[in-house]
mmCIF file of all heavy atoms in Angstrom:
data_model
loop_
_atom_site.group_PDB
_atom_site.id
_atom_site.type_symbol
_atom_site.label_atom_id
_atom_site.label_comp_id
_atom_site.label_asym_id
_atom_site.label_seq_id
_atom_site.Cartn_x
_atom_site.Cartn_y
_atom_site.Cartn_z
ATOM 1 N N GLN A 594 186.413 -89.788 -12.559
ATOM 2 C CA GLN A 594 185.907 -88.517 -12.835
ATOM 3 C C GLN A 594 184.286 -88.608 -12.502
ATOM 4 O O GLN A 594 183.725 -87.720 -11.881
ATOM 5 C CB GLN A 594 186.142 -87.904 -14.181
ATOM 6 C CG GLN A 594 185.637 -86.491 -14.413
ATOM 7 C CD GLN A 594 186.362 -85.534 -13.583
ATOM 8 O OE1 GLN A 594 187.750 -85.523 -13.454
ATOM 9 N NE2 GLN A 594 185.678 -84.530 -12.925
ATOM 10 N N ALA A 595 183.685 -89.578 -13.098
ATOM 11 C CA ALA A 595 182.216 -89.723 -13.036
ATOM 12 C C ALA A 595 181.806 -90.007 -11.538
ATOM 13 O O ALA A 595 180.726 -89.534 -11.060
ATOM 14 C CB ALA A 595 181.828 -90.811 -13.907
ATOM 15 N N ALA A 596 182.650 -90.796 -10.915
ATOM 16 C CA ALA A 596 182.289 -91.252 -9.574
ATOM 17 C C ALA A 596 182.564 -90.153 -8.453
ATOM 18 O O ALA A 596 182.057 -90.123 -7.335
ATOM 19 C CB ALA A 596 183.111 -92.512 -9.113
ATOM 20 N N GLY A 597 183.472 -89.222 -8.797
ATOM 21 C CA GLY A 597 183.967 -88.163 -7.888
ATOM 22 C C GLY A 597 184.844 -88.614 -6.805
ATOM 23 O O GLY A 597 184.914 -87.876 -5.793
ATOM 24 N N THR A 598 185.401 -89.769 -6.942
ATOM 25 C CA THR A 598 186.242 -90.290 -5.862
ATOM 26 C C THR A 598 187.136 -91.426 -6.376
ATOM 27 O O THR A 598 186.903 -91.895 -7.566
ATOM 28 C CB THR A 598 185.442 -90.987 -4.785
ATOM 29 O OG1 THR A 598 186.201 -91.493 -3.793
ATOM 30 C CG2 THR A 598 184.437 -92.111 -5.298
ATOM 31 N N THR A 599 188.249 -91.822 -5.678
ATOM 32 C CA THR A 599 189.054 -92.929 -6.116
ATOM 33 C C THR A 599 188.671 -94.168 -5.352
ATOM 34 O O THR A 599 189.270 -95.255 -5.478
ATOM 35 C CB THR A 599 190.528 -92.697 -5.901
ATOM 36 O OG1 THR A 599 190.732 -92.351 -4.457
ATOM 37 C CG2 THR A 599 190.999 -91.488 -6.627
ATOM 38 N N ASP A 600 187.631 -94.202 -4.558
ATOM 39 C CA ASP A 600 187.171 -95.358 -3.802
ATOM 40 C C ASP A 600 186.852 -96.489 -4.789
ATOM 41 O O ASP A 600 186.227 -96.345 -5.767
ATOM 42 C CB ASP A 600 185.879 -95.030 -3.004
ATOM 43 C CG ASP A 600 185.276 -96.244 -2.414
ATOM 44 O OD1 ASP A 600 185.835 -96.627 -1.379
ATOM 45 O OD2 ASP A 600 184.338 -96.909 -3.004
ATOM 46 N N SER A 601 187.593 -97.666 -4.577
ATOM 47 C CA SER A 601 187.517 -98.699 -5.489
ATOM 48 C C SER A 601 186.091 -99.259 -5.815
ATOM 49 O O SER A 601 185.835 -99.486 -6.919
ATOM 50 C CB SER A 601 188.419 -99.907 -4.856
ATOM 51 O OG SER A 601 189.686 -99.579 -4.803
ATOM 52 N N ASP A 602 185.315 -99.454 -4.769
ATOM 53 C CA ASP A 602 183.968 -99.927 -4.980
ATOM 54 C C ASP A 602 183.082 -99.028 -5.865
ATOM 55 O O ASP A 602 182.431 -99.321 -6.837
ATOM 56 C CB ASP A 602 183.213 -100.242 -3.728
ATOM 57 C CG ASP A 602 183.832 -101.316 -2.950
ATOM 58 O OD1 ASP A 602 183.780 -102.457 -3.431
ATOM 59 O OD2 ASP A 602 184.545 -101.133 -1.910
ATOM 60 N N ALA A 603 183.320 -97.709 -5.564
ATOM 61 C CA ALA A 603 182.435 -96.783 -6.407
ATOM 62 C C ALA A 603 183.004 -96.610 -7.800
ATOM 63 O O ALA A 603 182.203 -96.466 -8.777
ATOM 64 C CB ALA A 603 182.563 -95.179 -5.693
ATOM 65 N N VAL A 604 184.340 -96.560 -7.966
ATOM 66 C CA VAL A 604 184.842 -96.581 -9.332
ATOM 67 C C VAL A 604 184.497 -97.802 -10.149
ATOM 68 O O VAL A 604 184.067 -97.735 -11.209
ATOM 69 C CB VAL A 604 186.380 -96.333 -9.218
ATOM 70 C CG1 VAL A 604 187.024 -96.409 -10.587
ATOM 71 C CG2 VAL A 604 186.701 -95.025 -8.683
ATOM 72 N N MET A 605 184.550 -99.015 -9.405
ATOM 73 C CA MET A 605 184.218 -100.262 -10.176
ATOM 74 C C MET A 605 182.806 -100.162 -10.661
ATOM 75 O O MET A 605 182.392 -100.617 -11.697
ATOM 76 C CB MET A 605 184.419 -101.385 -9.301
ATOM 77 C CG MET A 605 184.166 -102.700 -10.084
ATOM 78 S SD MET A 605 185.152 -103.009 -11.518
ATOM 79 C CE MET A 605 186.710 -103.646 -10.841
ATOM 80 N N ALA A 606 181.857 -99.740 -9.829
ATOM 81 C CA ALA A 606 180.505 -99.598 -10.217
ATOM 82 C C ALA A 606 180.223 -98.670 -11.417
ATOM 83 O O ALA A 606 179.488 -99.019 -12.224
ATOM 84 C CB ALA A 606 179.680 -99.082 -8.964
ATOM 85 N N LYS A 607 181.065 -97.498 -11.387
ATOM 86 C CA LYS A 607 180.939 -96.747 -12.566
ATOM 87 C C LYS A 607 181.494 -97.352 -13.860
ATOM 88 O O LYS A 607 180.994 -97.245 -14.921
ATOM 89 C CB LYS A 607 181.692 -95.442 -12.322
ATOM 90 C CG LYS A 607 180.854 -94.437 -11.507
ATOM 91 C CD LYS A 607 179.732 -93.923 -12.216
ATOM 92 C CE LYS A 607 178.944 -92.851 -11.366
ATOM 93 N NZ LYS A 607 177.709 -92.516 -12.162
ATOM 94 N N MET A 608 182.641 -98.025 -13.642
ATOM 95 C CA MET A 608 183.169 -98.719 -14.824
ATOM 96 C C MET A 608 182.317 -99.738 -15.465
ATOM 97 O O MET A 608 182.214 -99.922 -16.642
ATOM 98 C CB MET A 608 184.546 -99.374 -14.396
ATOM 99 C CG MET A 608 185.653 -98.501 -14.080
ATOM 100 S SD MET A 608 187.181 -99.332 -13.608
ATOM 101 C CE MET A 608 187.702 -99.974 -15.266
ATOM 102 N N LYS A 609 181.528 -100.520 -14.610
ATOM 103 C CA LYS A 609 180.554 -101.400 -15.102
ATOM 104 C C LYS A 609 179.384 -100.856 -15.710
ATOM 105 O O LYS A 609 178.769 -101.468 -16.609
ATOM 106 C CB LYS A 609 180.288 -102.433 -14.006
ATOM 107 C CG LYS A 609 181.442 -103.317 -13.638
ATOM 108 C CD LYS A 609 181.091 -104.414 -12.560
ATOM 109 C CE LYS A 609 182.225 -105.399 -12.323
ATOM 110 N NZ LYS A 609 181.808 -106.409 -11.290
ATOM 111 N N SER A 610 179.044 -99.654 -15.216
ATOM 112 C CA SER A 610 177.773 -99.038 -15.808
ATOM 113 C C SER A 610 178.016 -98.174 -17.007
ATOM 114 O O SER A 610 177.152 -97.943 -17.785
ATOM 115 C CB SER A 610 177.136 -98.178 -14.685
ATOM 116 O OG SER A 610 177.871 -97.076 -14.286
ATOM 117 N N MET A 611 179.317 -97.630 -17.102
ATOM 118 C CA MET A 611 179.573 -96.793 -18.321
ATOM 119 C C MET A 611 179.946 -97.618 -19.491
ATOM 120 O O MET A 611 180.552 -98.657 -19.374
ATOM 121 C CB MET A 611 180.738 -95.771 -17.952
ATOM 122 C CG MET A 611 180.460 -94.763 -16.779
ATOM 123 S SD MET A 611 181.905 -93.929 -16.202
ATOM 124 C CE MET A 611 182.624 -93.250 -17.718
ATOM 125 N N PRO A 612 179.606 -97.141 -20.691
ATOM 126 C CA PRO A 612 180.057 -97.736 -21.899
ATOM 127 C C PRO A 612 181.578 -97.607 -22.053
ATOM 128 O O PRO A 612 182.102 -96.597 -21.775
ATOM 129 C CB PRO A 612 179.382 -97.113 -23.056
ATOM 130 C CG PRO A 612 178.867 -95.740 -22.465
ATOM 131 C CD PRO A 612 178.683 -96.041 -21.010
ATOM 132 N N ILE A 613 182.293 -98.584 -22.582
ATOM 133 C CA ILE A 613 183.674 -98.481 -22.880
ATOM 134 C C ILE A 613 183.798 -97.764 -24.188
ATOM 135 O O ILE A 613 183.430 -98.277 -25.255
ATOM 136 C CB ILE A 613 184.404 -99.866 -22.980
ATOM 137 C CG1 ILE A 613 184.213 -100.527 -21.558
ATOM 138 C CG2 ILE A 613 185.882 -99.754 -23.399
ATOM 139 C CD1 ILE A 613 184.798 -102.034 -21.616
ATOM 140 N N ASP A 614 184.407 -96.555 -24.208
ATOM 141 C CA ASP A 614 184.342 -95.626 -25.329
ATOM 142 C C ASP A 614 185.804 -95.324 -25.696
ATOM 143 O O ASP A 614 186.417 -94.375 -25.308
ATOM 144 C CB ASP A 614 183.575 -94.380 -24.935
ATOM 145 C CG ASP A 614 183.549 -93.393 -26.034
ATOM 146 O OD1 ASP A 614 183.633 -93.864 -27.197
ATOM 147 O OD2 ASP A 614 183.344 -92.127 -25.756
ATOM 148 N N ASP A 615 186.364 -96.089 -26.669
ATOM 149 C CA ASP A 615 187.605 -95.778 -27.251
ATOM 150 C C ASP A 615 187.709 -96.445 -28.632
ATOM 151 O O ASP A 615 186.961 -97.366 -28.821
ATOM 152 C CB ASP A 615 188.795 -96.248 -26.322
ATOM 153 C CG ASP A 615 188.919 -97.808 -26.220
ATOM 154 O OD1 ASP A 615 189.561 -98.283 -27.063
ATOM 155 O OD2 ASP A 615 188.376 -98.178 -25.178
ATOM 156 N N ALA A 616 188.545 -95.993 -29.460
ATOM 157 C CA ALA A 616 188.511 -96.513 -30.911
ATOM 158 C C ALA A 616 188.951 -97.914 -30.970
ATOM 159 O O ALA A 616 188.603 -98.621 -31.929
ATOM 160 C CB ALA A 616 189.592 -95.630 -31.710
ATOM 161 N N PHE A 617 189.644 -98.541 -30.003
ATOM 162 C CA PHE A 617 190.144 -99.923 -30.051
ATOM 163 C C PHE A 617 188.988 -100.870 -29.666
ATOM 164 O O PHE A 617 189.112 -102.136 -29.912
ATOM 165 C CB PHE A 617 191.361 -100.113 -29.299
ATOM 166 C CG PHE A 617 192.599 -99.435 -29.854
ATOM 167 C CD1 PHE A 617 193.025 -98.318 -29.464
ATOM 168 C CD2 PHE A 617 193.251 -100.100 -30.802
ATOM 169 C CE1 PHE A 617 194.141 -97.561 -29.900
ATOM 170 C CE2 PHE A 617 194.455 -99.578 -31.380
ATOM 171 C CZ PHE A 617 194.811 -98.302 -30.926
ATOM 172 N N SER A 618 187.960 -100.527 -28.885
ATOM 173 C CA SER A 618 186.955 -101.315 -28.386
ATOM 174 C C SER A 618 185.697 -101.353 -29.184
ATOM 175 O O SER A 618 185.052 -100.318 -29.354
ATOM 176 C CB SER A 618 186.655 -100.854 -26.937
ATOM 177 O OG SER A 618 187.833 -100.973 -26.117
ATOM 178 N N LEU A 619 185.336 -102.623 -29.635
ATOM 179 C CA LEU A 619 184.251 -102.725 -30.426
ATOM 180 C C LEU A 619 183.028 -103.392 -29.613
ATOM 181 O O LEU A 619 183.137 -104.561 -29.190
ATOM 182 C CB LEU A 619 184.567 -103.594 -31.593
ATOM 183 C CG LEU A 619 185.738 -103.270 -32.514
ATOM 184 C CD1 LEU A 619 185.897 -104.231 -33.603
ATOM 185 C CD2 LEU A 619 185.316 -101.893 -33.240
ATOM 186 N N ASN A 620 181.998 -102.555 -29.373
ATOM 187 C CA ASN A 620 180.865 -103.120 -28.608
ATOM 188 C C ASN A 620 181.256 -103.803 -27.337
ATOM 189 O O ASN A 620 180.884 -104.888 -27.024
ATOM 190 C CB ASN A 620 180.055 -104.156 -29.460
ATOM 191 C CG ASN A 620 179.531 -103.520 -30.754
ATOM 192 O OD1 ASN A 620 179.007 -102.379 -30.726
ATOM 193 N ND2 ASN A 620 179.578 -104.256 -31.853
ATOM 194 N N ALA A 621 182.036 -103.048 -26.491
ATOM 195 C CA ALA A 621 182.695 -103.667 -25.284
ATOM 196 C C ALA A 621 181.916 -103.204 -24.112
ATOM 197 O O ALA A 621 181.483 -102.043 -23.870
ATOM 198 C CB ALA A 621 184.132 -103.244 -25.248
ATOM 199 N N HIS A 622 181.767 -104.079 -23.188
ATOM 200 C CA HIS A 622 181.247 -103.812 -21.825
ATOM 201 C C HIS A 622 181.666 -104.730 -20.718
ATOM 202 O O HIS A 622 182.210 -105.851 -21.170
ATOM 203 C CB HIS A 622 179.664 -103.850 -21.769
ATOM 204 C CG HIS A 622 179.171 -105.230 -22.090
ATOM 205 N ND1 HIS A 622 179.016 -105.778 -23.391
ATOM 206 C CD2 HIS A 622 178.649 -106.177 -21.140
ATOM 207 C CE1 HIS A 622 178.562 -106.946 -23.258
ATOM 208 N NE2 HIS A 622 178.322 -107.205 -22.033
ATOM 209 N N ILE A 623 181.711 -104.308 -19.535
ATOM 210 C CA ILE A 623 182.267 -105.160 -18.453
ATOM 211 C C ILE A 623 181.053 -106.049 -17.824
ATOM 212 O O ILE A 623 180.102 -105.335 -17.470
ATOM 213 C CB ILE A 623 182.946 -104.320 -17.328
ATOM 214 C CG1 ILE A 623 184.019 -103.509 -18.021
ATOM 215 C CG2 ILE A 623 183.558 -105.201 -16.340
ATOM 216 C CD1 ILE A 623 184.648 -102.465 -17.059
ATOM 217 N N ARG A 624 181.226 -107.354 -17.814
ATOM 218 C CA ARG A 624 180.170 -108.108 -17.097
ATOM 219 C C ARG A 624 180.377 -108.183 -15.631
ATOM 220 O O ARG A 624 181.318 -107.669 -15.055
ATOM 221 C CB ARG A 624 180.269 -109.548 -17.734
ATOM 222 C CG ARG A 624 179.828 -109.757 -19.102
ATOM 223 C CD ARG A 624 179.466 -111.139 -19.512
ATOM 224 N NE ARG A 624 180.410 -112.145 -19.013
ATOM 225 C CZ ARG A 624 180.414 -113.422 -19.467
ATOM 226 N NH1 ARG A 624 179.519 -113.821 -20.381
ATOM 227 N NH2 ARG A 624 181.290 -114.310 -18.952
ATOM 228 N N GLU A 625 179.299 -108.785 -14.954
ATOM 229 C CA GLU A 625 179.372 -108.805 -13.540
ATOM 230 C C GLU A 625 180.486 -109.740 -13.032
ATOM 231 O O GLU A 625 181.006 -109.594 -11.915
ATOM 232 C CB GLU A 625 178.045 -109.404 -12.972
ATOM 233 C CG GLU A 625 177.698 -110.780 -13.563
ATOM 234 C CD GLU A 625 176.205 -111.170 -13.244
ATOM 235 O OE1 GLU A 625 175.878 -111.460 -12.182
ATOM 236 O OE2 GLU A 625 175.409 -110.993 -14.177
ATOM 237 N N ASP A 626 181.128 -110.683 -13.873
ATOM 238 C CA ASP A 626 182.224 -111.494 -13.424
ATOM 239 C C ASP A 626 183.540 -110.739 -13.680
ATOM 240 O O ASP A 626 184.618 -111.325 -13.390
ATOM 241 C CB ASP A 626 182.227 -112.792 -14.179
ATOM 242 C CG ASP A 626 182.169 -112.726 -15.728
ATOM 243 O OD1 ASP A 626 182.109 -111.475 -16.122
ATOM 244 O OD2 ASP A 626 182.151 -113.676 -16.320
ATOM 245 N N GLY A 627 183.604 -109.523 -14.212
ATOM 246 C CA GLY A 627 184.775 -108.752 -14.399
ATOM 247 C C GLY A 627 185.335 -108.897 -15.893
ATOM 248 O O GLY A 627 186.504 -108.403 -16.158
ATOM 249 N N LEU A 628 184.706 -109.667 -16.744
ATOM 250 C CA LEU A 628 185.159 -109.937 -18.131
ATOM 251 C C LEU A 628 184.624 -108.808 -18.996
ATOM 252 O O LEU A 628 183.444 -108.469 -18.943
ATOM 253 C CB LEU A 628 184.632 -111.285 -18.511
ATOM 254 C CG LEU A 628 184.991 -111.599 -20.028
ATOM 255 C CD1 LEU A 628 186.450 -111.755 -20.193
ATOM 256 C CD2 LEU A 628 184.237 -112.816 -20.477
ATOM 257 N N VAL A 629 185.588 -108.224 -19.749
ATOM 258 C CA VAL A 629 185.162 -107.354 -20.790
ATOM 259 C C VAL A 629 184.708 -108.119 -22.080
ATOM 260 O O VAL A 629 185.663 -108.832 -22.593
ATOM 261 C CB VAL A 629 186.240 -106.348 -21.181
ATOM 262 C CG1 VAL A 629 185.867 -105.606 -22.385
ATOM 263 C CG2 VAL A 629 186.528 -105.339 -20.055
ATOM 264 N N VAL A 630 183.571 -108.081 -22.399
ATOM 265 C CA VAL A 630 182.978 -108.813 -23.585
ATOM 266 C C VAL A 630 183.106 -107.862 -24.741
ATOM 267 O O VAL A 630 182.572 -106.649 -24.614
ATOM 268 C CB VAL A 630 181.541 -109.340 -23.385
ATOM 269 C CG1 VAL A 630 181.043 -109.979 -24.650
ATOM 270 C CG2 VAL A 630 181.395 -110.226 -22.254
ATOM 271 N N ARG A 631 183.757 -108.299 -25.789
ATOM 272 C CA ARG A 631 184.050 -107.287 -26.930
ATOM 273 C C ARG A 631 183.960 -108.120 -28.211
ATOM 274 O O ARG A 631 184.350 -109.298 -28.287
ATOM 275 C CB ARG A 631 185.332 -106.581 -26.706
ATOM 276 C CG ARG A 631 186.559 -107.549 -26.831
ATOM 277 C CD ARG A 631 187.840 -106.719 -26.902
ATOM 278 N NE ARG A 631 188.192 -106.175 -25.544
ATOM 279 C CZ ARG A 631 188.382 -104.817 -25.454
ATOM 280 N NH1 ARG A 631 188.158 -104.032 -26.498
ATOM 281 N NH2 ARG A 631 188.618 -104.310 -24.291
ATOM 282 N N ASP A 632 183.558 -107.394 -29.296
ATOM 283 C CA ASP A 632 183.691 -108.045 -30.625
ATOM 284 C C ASP A 632 185.185 -108.168 -30.931
ATOM 285 O O ASP A 632 185.973 -107.341 -30.593
ATOM 286 C CB ASP A 632 183.058 -107.145 -31.696
ATOM 287 C CG ASP A 632 181.558 -107.111 -31.582
ATOM 288 O OD1 ASP A 632 180.928 -107.873 -30.783
ATOM 289 O OD2 ASP A 632 180.914 -106.342 -32.382
ATOM 290 N N MET A 633 185.530 -109.229 -31.684
ATOM 291 C CA MET A 633 186.938 -109.419 -32.045
ATOM 292 C C MET A 633 186.982 -109.655 -33.626
ATOM 293 O O MET A 633 185.872 -109.635 -34.211
ATOM 294 C CB MET A 633 187.658 -110.557 -31.295
ATOM 295 C CG MET A 633 187.806 -110.263 -29.846
ATOM 296 S SD MET A 633 188.819 -111.469 -28.994
ATOM 297 C CE MET A 633 188.663 -110.954 -27.281
ATOM 298 N N MET A 634 188.175 -109.844 -34.134
ATOM 299 C CA MET A 634 188.247 -109.999 -35.613
ATOM 300 C C MET A 634 189.010 -111.185 -35.958
ATOM 301 O O MET A 634 190.072 -111.463 -35.284
ATOM 302 C CB MET A 634 188.855 -108.748 -36.231
ATOM 303 C CG MET A 634 188.122 -107.417 -36.080
ATOM 304 S SD MET A 634 189.060 -105.980 -36.443
ATOM 305 C CE MET A 634 190.198 -105.973 -35.102
ATOM 306 N N LEU A 635 188.555 -111.952 -36.886
ATOM 307 C CA LEU A 635 189.449 -113.073 -37.559
ATOM 308 C C LEU A 635 190.244 -112.377 -38.570
ATOM 309 O O LEU A 635 189.687 -111.789 -39.483
ATOM 310 C CB LEU A 635 188.594 -114.096 -38.133
ATOM 311 C CG LEU A 635 189.288 -115.286 -38.701
ATOM 312 C CD1 LEU A 635 190.096 -116.003 -37.620
ATOM 313 C CD2 LEU A 635 188.386 -116.215 -39.516
ATOM 314 N N ALA A 636 191.580 -112.443 -38.400
ATOM 315 C CA ALA A 636 192.585 -111.822 -39.287
ATOM 316 C C ALA A 636 193.373 -112.912 -40.060
ATOM 317 O O ALA A 636 193.465 -114.091 -39.469
ATOM 318 C CB ALA A 636 193.429 -110.890 -38.553
ATOM 319 N N GLN A 637 193.911 -112.551 -41.136
ATOM 320 C CA GLN A 637 194.895 -113.454 -41.829
ATOM 321 C C GLN A 637 196.145 -112.596 -42.130
ATOM 322 O O GLN A 637 196.031 -111.392 -42.719
ATOM 323 C CB GLN A 637 194.354 -114.096 -42.988
ATOM 324 C CG GLN A 637 195.175 -115.086 -43.661
ATOM 325 C CD GLN A 637 194.480 -115.847 -44.829
ATOM 326 O OE1 GLN A 637 193.706 -115.158 -45.579
ATOM 327 N NE2 GLN A 637 194.776 -117.114 -45.102
ATOM 328 N N VAL A 638 197.323 -113.111 -41.855
ATOM 329 C CA VAL A 638 198.557 -112.430 -42.183
ATOM 330 C C VAL A 638 198.737 -112.289 -43.646
ATOM 331 O O VAL A 638 198.631 -113.348 -44.495
ATOM 332 C CB VAL A 638 199.723 -113.211 -41.573
ATOM 333 C CG1 VAL A 638 201.077 -112.432 -41.868
ATOM 334 C CG2 VAL A 638 199.606 -113.301 -40.080
#
Side-chain angles (χ1 to χ4, degrees):
Q594 186 67 45
T598 179
T599 57
D600 175 76
S601 295
D602 293 291
V604 173
M605 180 61 82
K607 280 293 181 184
M608 290 183 70
K609 289 182 175 179
S610 67
M611 293 169 57
I613 297 174
D614 178 24
D615 67 85
F617 288 97
S618 298
L619 303 175
N620 298 321
H622 65 277
I623 306 174
R624 291 198 315 192
E625 58 195 281
D626 56 359
L628 176 67
V629 171
V630 178
R631 62 174 71 243
D632 290 355
M633 296 191 186
M634 296 167 291
L635 181 66
Q637 189 175 31
V638 178

